[in-house]
mmCIF file of all heavy atoms in Angstrom:
data_model
loop_
_atom_site.group_PDB
_atom_site.id
_atom_site.type_symbol
_atom_site.label_atom_id
_atom_site.label_comp_id
_atom_site.label_asym_id
_atom_site.label_seq_id
_atom_site.Cartn_x
_atom_site.Cartn_y
_atom_site.Cartn_z
ATOM 1 N N GLY A 45 -18.576 6.512 -6.007
ATOM 2 C CA GLY A 45 -17.141 6.148 -6.154
ATOM 3 C C GLY A 45 -16.891 4.739 -6.496
ATOM 4 O O GLY A 45 -15.694 4.349 -6.772
ATOM 5 N N SER A 46 -17.964 3.909 -6.688
ATOM 6 C CA SER A 46 -17.831 2.593 -7.122
ATOM 7 C C SER A 46 -19.149 2.084 -7.812
ATOM 8 O O SER A 46 -20.161 2.701 -7.587
ATOM 9 C CB SER A 46 -17.534 1.631 -5.921
ATOM 10 O OG SER A 46 -18.683 1.627 -5.082
ATOM 11 N N ALA A 47 -19.037 1.053 -8.611
ATOM 12 C CA ALA A 47 -20.231 0.485 -9.297
ATOM 13 C C ALA A 47 -20.011 -0.913 -9.418
ATOM 14 O O ALA A 47 -18.931 -1.485 -9.728
ATOM 15 C CB ALA A 47 -20.415 1.123 -10.637
ATOM 16 N N LEU A 48 -21.058 -1.754 -9.215
ATOM 17 C CA LEU A 48 -21.076 -3.204 -9.331
ATOM 18 C C LEU A 48 -21.401 -3.569 -10.752
ATOM 19 O O LEU A 48 -22.319 -3.108 -11.379
ATOM 20 C CB LEU A 48 -22.091 -3.782 -8.350
ATOM 21 C CG LEU A 48 -22.252 -5.351 -8.404
ATOM 22 C CD1 LEU A 48 -20.945 -5.970 -7.918
ATOM 23 C CD2 LEU A 48 -23.430 -5.728 -7.503
ATOM 24 N N LEU A 49 -20.523 -4.456 -11.298
ATOM 25 C CA LEU A 49 -20.729 -5.003 -12.655
ATOM 26 C C LEU A 49 -21.007 -6.527 -12.502
ATOM 27 O O LEU A 49 -20.018 -7.271 -12.258
ATOM 28 C CB LEU A 49 -19.467 -4.747 -13.583
ATOM 29 C CG LEU A 49 -19.230 -3.308 -14.078
ATOM 30 C CD1 LEU A 49 -19.085 -2.368 -13.017
ATOM 31 C CD2 LEU A 49 -18.089 -3.372 -15.030
ATOM 32 N N GLN A 50 -22.188 -6.925 -12.535
ATOM 33 C CA GLN A 50 -22.572 -8.332 -12.241
ATOM 34 C C GLN A 50 -22.347 -9.290 -13.497
ATOM 35 O O GLN A 50 -22.761 -8.942 -14.606
ATOM 36 C CB GLN A 50 -23.961 -8.392 -11.860
ATOM 37 C CG GLN A 50 -24.266 -7.766 -10.474
ATOM 38 C CD GLN A 50 -25.729 -7.961 -10.009
ATOM 39 O OE1 GLN A 50 -26.626 -7.563 -10.746
ATOM 40 N NE2 GLN A 50 -25.895 -8.494 -8.908
ATOM 41 N N GLY A 51 -21.644 -10.316 -13.210
ATOM 42 C CA GLY A 51 -21.513 -11.383 -14.304
ATOM 43 C C GLY A 51 -20.607 -11.019 -15.425
ATOM 44 O O GLY A 51 -20.892 -11.318 -16.612
ATOM 45 N N VAL A 52 -19.500 -10.348 -15.141
ATOM 46 C CA VAL A 52 -18.627 -10.046 -16.205
ATOM 47 C C VAL A 52 -18.001 -11.269 -16.727
ATOM 48 O O VAL A 52 -17.778 -11.432 -17.966
ATOM 49 C CB VAL A 52 -17.454 -9.103 -15.671
ATOM 50 C CG1 VAL A 52 -16.328 -8.912 -16.746
ATOM 51 C CG2 VAL A 52 -18.023 -7.705 -15.340
ATOM 52 N N LEU A 53 -17.641 -12.266 -15.928
ATOM 53 C CA LEU A 53 -16.940 -13.516 -16.285
ATOM 54 C C LEU A 53 -17.872 -14.677 -15.914
ATOM 55 O O LEU A 53 -18.611 -14.643 -14.968
ATOM 56 C CB LEU A 53 -15.623 -13.715 -15.620
ATOM 57 C CG LEU A 53 -14.577 -12.699 -15.934
ATOM 58 C CD1 LEU A 53 -13.294 -13.067 -15.224
ATOM 59 C CD2 LEU A 53 -14.292 -12.587 -17.460
ATOM 60 N N SER A 54 -17.913 -15.691 -16.742
ATOM 61 C CA SER A 54 -18.610 -16.982 -16.428
ATOM 62 C C SER A 54 -17.786 -17.734 -15.324
ATOM 63 O O SER A 54 -16.583 -17.481 -15.227
ATOM 64 C CB SER A 54 -18.763 -17.776 -17.708
ATOM 65 O OG SER A 54 -17.538 -18.274 -18.082
ATOM 66 N N PRO A 55 -18.374 -18.723 -14.752
ATOM 67 C CA PRO A 55 -17.644 -19.497 -13.781
ATOM 68 C C PRO A 55 -16.501 -20.264 -14.448
ATOM 69 O O PRO A 55 -15.375 -20.312 -13.871
ATOM 70 C CB PRO A 55 -18.700 -20.541 -13.317
ATOM 71 C CG PRO A 55 -20.061 -19.806 -13.353
ATOM 72 C CD PRO A 55 -19.907 -18.990 -14.703
ATOM 73 N N GLU A 56 -16.611 -20.639 -15.653
ATOM 74 C CA GLU A 56 -15.573 -21.386 -16.379
ATOM 75 C C GLU A 56 -14.371 -20.362 -16.610
ATOM 76 O O GLU A 56 -13.261 -20.795 -16.504
ATOM 77 C CB GLU A 56 -16.082 -21.914 -17.692
ATOM 78 C CG GLU A 56 -17.211 -23.072 -17.549
ATOM 79 C CD GLU A 56 -18.516 -22.601 -17.152
ATOM 80 O OE1 GLU A 56 -18.769 -21.382 -17.340
ATOM 81 O OE2 GLU A 56 -19.323 -23.405 -16.668
ATOM 82 N N GLU A 57 -14.746 -19.183 -17.050
ATOM 83 C CA GLU A 57 -13.674 -18.215 -17.288
ATOM 84 C C GLU A 57 -12.941 -17.864 -15.887
ATOM 85 O O GLU A 57 -11.681 -17.740 -15.926
ATOM 86 C CB GLU A 57 -14.213 -16.901 -17.917
ATOM 87 C CG GLU A 57 -14.735 -17.135 -19.313
ATOM 88 C CD GLU A 57 -15.758 -16.120 -19.751
ATOM 89 O OE1 GLU A 57 -16.266 -15.347 -18.964
ATOM 90 O OE2 GLU A 57 -15.926 -16.034 -21.062
ATOM 91 N N CYS A 58 -13.692 -17.728 -14.891
ATOM 92 C CA CYS A 58 -13.081 -17.444 -13.548
ATOM 93 C C CYS A 58 -12.102 -18.573 -13.159
ATOM 94 O O CYS A 58 -11.016 -18.385 -12.697
ATOM 95 C CB CYS A 58 -14.194 -17.351 -12.560
ATOM 96 S SG CYS A 58 -15.255 -15.845 -12.650
ATOM 97 N N ASP A 59 -12.588 -19.865 -13.261
ATOM 98 C CA ASP A 59 -11.750 -20.937 -12.934
ATOM 99 C C ASP A 59 -10.500 -21.024 -13.749
ATOM 100 O O ASP A 59 -9.427 -21.366 -13.273
ATOM 101 C CB ASP A 59 -12.554 -22.225 -13.067
ATOM 102 C CG ASP A 59 -13.722 -22.349 -11.971
ATOM 103 O OD1 ASP A 59 -13.608 -21.609 -11.004
ATOM 104 O OD2 ASP A 59 -14.588 -23.178 -12.231
ATOM 105 N N ALA A 60 -10.621 -20.746 -15.021
ATOM 106 C CA ALA A 60 -9.486 -20.748 -15.871
ATOM 107 C C ALA A 60 -8.445 -19.721 -15.531
ATOM 108 O O ALA A 60 -7.243 -20.006 -15.534
ATOM 109 C CB ALA A 60 -9.896 -20.598 -17.366
ATOM 110 N N LEU A 61 -8.874 -18.510 -15.228
ATOM 111 C CA LEU A 61 -7.985 -17.494 -14.830
ATOM 112 C C LEU A 61 -7.290 -17.769 -13.450
ATOM 113 O O LEU A 61 -6.100 -17.623 -13.355
ATOM 114 C CB LEU A 61 -8.712 -16.134 -14.711
ATOM 115 C CG LEU A 61 -8.941 -15.402 -15.997
ATOM 116 C CD1 LEU A 61 -9.746 -14.101 -15.785
ATOM 117 C CD2 LEU A 61 -7.657 -15.024 -16.642
#
Side-chain angles (χ1 to χ4, degrees):
S46 65
L48 179 63
L49 285 61
Q50 292 182 304
V52 172
L53 299 180
S54 69
E56 294 76 18
E57 291 162 344
C58 289
D59 292 343
L61 278 176

